[in-house]
Amino acid sequence: MRSVRARLLSRFAIGVSAAAFILPAAAAAQDAAATMGQPGPAQTDPVPSASGDVGRGDGDIVVTGIRASLRESIDLKRNAQGIVDAISAEDMGKFPDTNLAESLQRITGVSIDRTASGEGQFVTVRGFGPEYNLVTLNGRQMPTSTIGDGNGAPSSRSFDFANLASEGVAALEVYKSGRATVPSGGIGSVINIRTPRPFDKMGLRGSLSARGVIDTSQNGHKDITPEVSGIFSDTFADDRIGILVTGAYQRRNFSANSANIGWRDGYLGNENNWGSLAQPGDPRYANITNRPKATDVYQVPQNGGYDVVNGRRERINGQAVLQFRPIDSLTATIDYTYSRNTTNIRDNSVGIWYNHNDTLSAWTNGPVAGPIFYTERFTAAEAKDLAYSVSQTAARSENKSLGGNLTWNAPGGVTMTLDAHHSTATSKPDSPYGNSNSFGAAVFGIQSQSINFDKDLPVLSYTMYPGVDALNPANIVPTGNAFRNSYFRDEINQVQIRGHYDHDHGFMDSLDWGFEYTDNKVRSAYSVLQNDTWGGAGGSTPEQRAAAAALLPDNIFHLTSIPDAFSGISGSNDPNIIKSFFTYDLPTALALTDKAYGTCGGNLQCLLPYTTDSRIHEKTIAPYFQFNGKFDLLAGPGHFIAGIRYENTDVSASALVPTPVGGQQNSQNEFNVLYQGSGFTTFKGSYHNWLPSVDVDITPIDNVKLRASYSHTITRADYGSLQGGRRLDTLFRVGGGTGSVGNPNLIPYKSKNIDLSAEWYYGRENYISVGYFHKDVSNYIGSTQINTTIPGIASPTTTFNGVTTNGPRYQAAINAPGYDGTFAFIQNYYIKNFPAYVGKNNVLLAGPGDPLVNFVITTPFNSDQTASVDGFEFAIQHNFWDTGFGTILNYTVVNGNRDYDNRLPSSVAQFAIVGLSDSANAVLFFDKYGINARAAYNWRKGFLQGSGTNPVYINTYGQLDGSASYAITPQITIFAEGINILGKDRSGHLRSDRNVTFVAKQDARYSAGVRFTF
């Protein structure tokens, strides 16, 4: 079982930080790097320089540090039309942020999801998760790429911010209201990553920085890892030519220990299914304390385990920009952006699985009953296993973008821009065995096992039969394994033509128009080599298991303490907890079993050719027109902006899927689909949308701005829903199997948005704002399930609707004298009497007369279900006079009208909005005397992460980060930063808070270093 998840200061080596560029608030736009969607050629209206802290030697005094970054962000927000928030490079440079997601969470209404190691990865805006937000780079739509969880072909459109470092980024802009001039694809928001250009500020400038990072989560280690970055920019030839180069290298060693519990579906108290609690009349009924009532809903655990995880992440980012201005009115830009993120994680686990036979349990009161404990006892003949597993996750994501831009300031107030780019994002394995690999081993002979849910950390315990020592490495038997090969590539070729006309008098202030062509090609592929030899790699008899155990020398195993791995979490010191288990290395164990049993063919070739290979091709054309009006009203100018955007998308979806030809039984409740050959299928679809938008703002009194916006926005379906071809899950149970088929005719989610905002700018660096948003979302993607049998896929035994049907050979084994109810007896009977139906590793093959297996096939469709989301955003930024102290506070309230009802069983289909939660930020900073210091607390209320058969909730989480720096000279700064200083852990649950799904231990990360600026 696997899951994917100041003495120290004196040891810090020199390490990296973001380049702290001072970018002018009103830099002239040269290309798509300019702020999107704002009328006029400038990013923002010009703002006079303010007095500040550092002299430049030319008579001007410029504010630097935290105050400078906050001023730039305020300027963009105040001068923008529509609802826009931003954060500047200096702001990111001063946060203890390892990537851009960590920076984005400081913006009002933005929250993040984290990797198993605690780093920011995906962004949620106003309750809409990563798949509902579009990410652009300098106004260009970026490809997305994630490797997925390893259990199937990757399919997400979510942008993975873990691939990007914050170094070398000029600003992040979050567009919360729709605009005709802003690319479509984000119901939640459009997030633009703006990178610096040499013409932003003429002359030679740059910085170099380095830092050492120590992650205190490391199991038994305190390694210090380096981070180095630099940025160089210069203009020459009378400022007609400019070059800029940025680079960043980061390496981090970490641990991400976790407890993970798997669950059966939500049953009603009166249900009688496999895994459900015993009913009155069953002798096991007496073993249940406070059994859930007939109408109560409950879930029983299917498995549980402790994972001790050690990982390494390496991130490389870089950008090169060349600009040329042959004449004052024409600017040409060529840029290349590169990022690479490599992760290598080893996960050792100890785990237990339930058969739901002789069980004991106790429960809380309904209507949603939660387990207090759940225990199962086994007979010696069952030879129940204690799993010692190791898994390896090794993947590399690589992003490349080559772009060009021509901007011509034509006569008569017209500006024309031609922008094009070719960008790719690829995720693939970084190991010869695949990207997600697991190797199982076990000690057979559990007498009883239990999970207790009274503490924060579920307490797993077991008792072995006399004579069986789980801590004797000689008893460890290699079992099943899986080697997964995932691949994902997204290629976008985009051309944009934009025009702008400045009228500069009367009500009509300006006009914007343009045309975009986007060609998006996606390939998602997957294969798995899986040996379901869970009873033993060489067979399930005692002699075969002993021979397999002898293959693994004792010295490859290392004893690991569970209480130490989860120290500080309630339950880690429970007297009943598993005290220790053996860890080992996957390559070492694999080499031994491959030689003996041909685990990967005897030559360690574990990567199979892709058996699932999907291709999606989207072609989108998008013309738009926008009128920008300006008028005088009350205390200042007002603005009226109205636009329309038309989009037409053609979709082609092809898929190579394996052809199923049969079935096999591996154990009592584990079966496999057998395949032979494969074939391609292709489907097509198309859709179009008209997307209007209107923005109005007025200044009723000095320094107060009121805004109102109305817009239509869309988000396209995920790639997995669009993919053609029917896929069957290889592993199925005695109750049948599952599968899916895509639908390329899905139309996008559509949202009709209302945004209102009131902002009071009562000082150069101070403001208060209150915002309200309302979204009506339609075209939600639902799923329907069809029960069907697949020709040729039979099984020796299967159960459907509570009725078990056995094939003739299986029934003969059950009727044979001496049948003891075990699968081992049936296996031996097959071997002696039906050897033609016994496969490798003594699996049972389906044959003539065996029953066909029922499969539940899920297919997506656009439902008539709608949802409404609304909320409020509150923000305040205040400097306390001339003390150097200041604060930033924001709070977002998000509400929806589609909640998940935990009281309904899994058999009742539910539609609920995921990701909705309140969030808040509190920042206290000091910026004076060359000292910059900041403490930032980010909080997100618990939320529904996933819905469907069973809900998945993430519990409330808060994290305190801090940073401080001191300018020794105007060019040299030393700094220290900390992330998750309080070491807060994360956790999640299902229907009941006792249905714990995971508890992830997290610890603080610290860094210190030096920055040189020139």
Side-chain angles (χ1 to χ4, degrees), residues 520-775:
N520 183 23
K521 297 177 182 178
V522 174
R523 182 187 180 194
S524 176
Y526 179 74
S527 66
V528 58
L529 170 61
Q530 184 158 320
N531 296 293
D532 291 301
T533 52
W534 304 110
S540 58
T541 68
E543 295 77 15
Q544 289 169 328
R545 287 173 176 167
L551 286 174
L552 306 180
D554 293 356
N555 61 6
I556 73 170
F557 297 103
H558 307 281
L559 208 58
T560 298
S561 167
I562 295 294
D564 289 347
F566 295 95
S567 62
I569 303 178
S570 170
S572 62
N573 290 318
D574 189 284
N576 296 315
I577 198 171
I578 298 174
K579 298 296 189 298
S580 57
F581 76 105
F582 281 112
T583 63
Y584 56 100
D585 183 65
L586 185 148
T588 301
L590 172 61
L592 296 170
T593 61
D594 186 54
K595 182 177 180 180
Y597 302 118
T599 302
C600 288
N603 55 6
L604 288 178
Q605 297 299 312
C606 303
L607 291 180
L608 292 182
Y610 298 125
T611 53
T612 298
D613 196 343
S614 300
R615 320 288 176 91
I616 294 177
H617 192 181
E618 295 176 329
K619 296 181 180 180
T620 301
I621 59 170
Y624 64 85
F625 178 82
Q626 181 171 285
F627 171 88
N628 309 302
K630 189 174 183 179
F631 56 91
D632 290 323
L633 180 69
L634 302 175
H639 300 88
F640 172 83
I641 298 176
I644 187 71
R645 184 182 185 93
Y646 173 78
E647 295 208 348
N648 184 86
T649 300
D650 294 322
V651 182
S652 175
S654 301
L656 175 71
V657 294
T659 303
V661 294
Q664 69 180 35
Q665 183 176 9
N666 312 311
S667 64
Q668 190 75 37
N669 190 35
E670 289 180 350
F671 303 76
N672 278 144
V673 178
L674 300 178
Y675 299 98
Q676 186 174 27
S678 58
F680 262 103
T681 57
T682 302
F683 301 92
K684 295 182 181 294
S686 64
Y687 55 84
H688 69 274
N689 287 277
W690 292 94
L691 304 175
S693 60
V694 177
D695 294 294
V696 179
D697 69 66
I698 61 172
T699 303
I701 59 177
D702 289 342
N703 300 315
V704 172
K705 182 162 283 192
L706 304 179
R707 306 179 192 268
S709 297
Y710 176 80
S711 63
H712 291 187
T713 52
I714 62 171
T715 286
R716 293 174 173 83
D718 66 277
Y719 297 124
S721 297
L722 295 172
Q723 289 171 356
R726 183 181 64 192
R727 297 172 179 80
L728 301 179
D729 295 322
T730 300
L731 180 66
F732 63 93
R733 301 293 182 182
V734 70
T738 56
S740 63
V741 61
N743 180 3
N745 283 297
L746 292 172
I747 62 176
Y749 302 86
K750 190 170 187 177
S751 179
K752 298 178 180 179
N753 316 297
I754 296 174
D755 291 274
L756 304 173
S757 177
E759 303 153 13
W760 176 31
Y761 299 89
Y762 61 93
R764 185 66 184 85
E765 298 155 8
N766 304 329
Y767 79 93
I768 296 175
S769 70
V770 178
Y772 170 79
F773 60 90
H774 179 92
K775 297 176 179 289

Side-chain angles (χ1 to χ4, degrees), residues 69-84:
S69 65
L70 296 180
R71 285 192 180 187
E72 184 178 348
S73 298
I74 285 181
D75 290 340
L76 194 151
K77 179 180 180 68
R78 182 173 187 173
N79 297 307
Q81 273 73 58
I83 310 300
V84 183

Side-chain angles (χ1 to χ4, degrees), residues 94-369:
K94 300 302 181 182
F95 277 124
D97 300 326
T98 58
N99 58 29
L100 296 181
E102 300 280 351
S103 303
L104 281 165
Q105 70 173 333
R106 317 297 177 184
I107 291 177
T108 309
V110 179
S111 50
I112 65 174
D113 297 321
R114 299 178 182 275
T115 64
S117 62
E119 288 192 45
Q121 183 176 27
F122 297 121
V123 170
T124 294
V125 180
R126 291 177 164 180
F128 286 88
E131 66 273 21
Y132 296 99
N133 297 290
L134 179 71
V135 176
T136 62
L137 177 69
N138 298 321
R140 303 162 178 163
Q141 181 177 334
M142 283 294 100
T144 62
S145 177
T146 57
I147 199 67
D149 60 6
N151 292 318
S155 62
S156 176
R157 289 185 189 264
S158 302
F159 189 86
D160 188 351
F161 283 92
N163 294 331
L164 301 178
S166 57
E167 288 81 358
V169 173
L172 291 170
E173 302 160 350
V174 180
Y175 293 83
K176 300 177 181 177
S177 58
R179 301 291 297 277
T181 56
V182 174
S184 69
I187 284 178
S189 70
V190 174
I191 300 172
N192 186 42
I193 303 170
R194 186 152 54 87
T195 58
R197 298 288 190 251
F199 285 173
D200 288 343
K201 186 176 177 64
M202 300 300 180
L204 175 66
R205 57 200 171 97
S207 73
L208 296 171
S209 62
R211 79 171 85 182
V213 178
I214 186 166
D215 190 323
T216 63
S217 70
Q218 296 175 75
N219 292 316
H221 297 275
K222 291 294 183 284
D223 297 336
I224 297 173
T225 54
E227 297 189 357
V228 181
S229 73
I231 184 166
F232 172 86
S233 179
D234 195 11
T235 59
F236 46 89
D238 294 328
D239 292 334
R240 295 290 183 182
I241 300 175
I243 58 171
L244 180 143
V245 179
T246 68
Y249 174 81
Q250 300 177 350
R251 194 176 80 231
R252 176 187 166 206
N253 295 343
F254 62 88
S255 296
N257 304 332
S258 64
N260 296 274
I261 312 296
W263 298 87
R264 301 292 299 168
D265 290 339
Y267 295 128
L268 276 177
N270 59 9
E271 286 190 54
N272 188 17
N273 293 306
W274 187 79
S276 60
L277 296 175
Q279 298 287 348
D282 188 317
R284 300 173 300 169
Y285 182 82
N287 297 332
I288 307 172
T289 301
N290 193 31
R291 189 192 188 284
K293 297 180 175 58
T295 57
D296 291 344
V297 173
Y298 69 95
Q299 294 182 259
V300 299
Q302 178 61 61
N303 57 274
Y306 295 125
D307 294 71
V308 175
V309 180
N310 298 296
R312 170 175 171 168
R313 186 265 296 150
E314 183 184 66
R315 182 187 294 143
I316 299 173
N317 284 190
Q319 186 179 55
V321 184
L322 173 65
Q323 287 191 291
F324 176 51
R325 185 173 292 158
I327 57 176
D328 291 344
S329 61
L330 181 64
T331 301
T333 303
I334 298 176
D335 57 85
Y336 179 77
T337 303
Y338 177 83
S339 69
R340 190 180 80 187
N341 190 40
T342 306
T343 56
N344 194 307
I345 299 172
R346 192 181 89 174
D347 180 345
N348 285 97
S349 67
V350 55
I352 56 177
W353 288 76
Y354 287 96
N355 291 343
H356 307 293
N357 291 322
D358 185 11
T359 60
L360 305 85
S361 58
W363 299 83
T364 63
N365 294 329
V368 180

Side-chain angles (χ1 to χ4, degrees), residues 15-99:
V16 128
S17 168
F21 258 56
I22 298 175
L23 300 179
Q30 287 112 16
D31 56 19
T35 300
M36 296 189 306
Q38 305 305 324
Q43 294 178 17
T44 57
D45 292 337
V47 178
S49 297
S51 61
D53 304 316
V54 179
R56 289 297 184 195
D58 56 1
D60 292 333
I61 300 297
V62 180
V63 174
T64 60
I66 294 175
R67 289 172 57 199
S69 65
L70 296 180
R71 285 192 180 187
E72 184 178 348
S73 298
I74 285 181
D75 290 340
L76 194 151
K77 179 180 180 68
R78 182 173 187 173
N79 297 307
Q81 273 73 58
I83 310 300
V84 183
D85 282 299
I87 189 166
S88 72
E90 289 90 350
D91 213 9
M92 289 187 291
K94 300 302 181 182
F95 277 124
D97 300 326
T98 58
N99 58 29

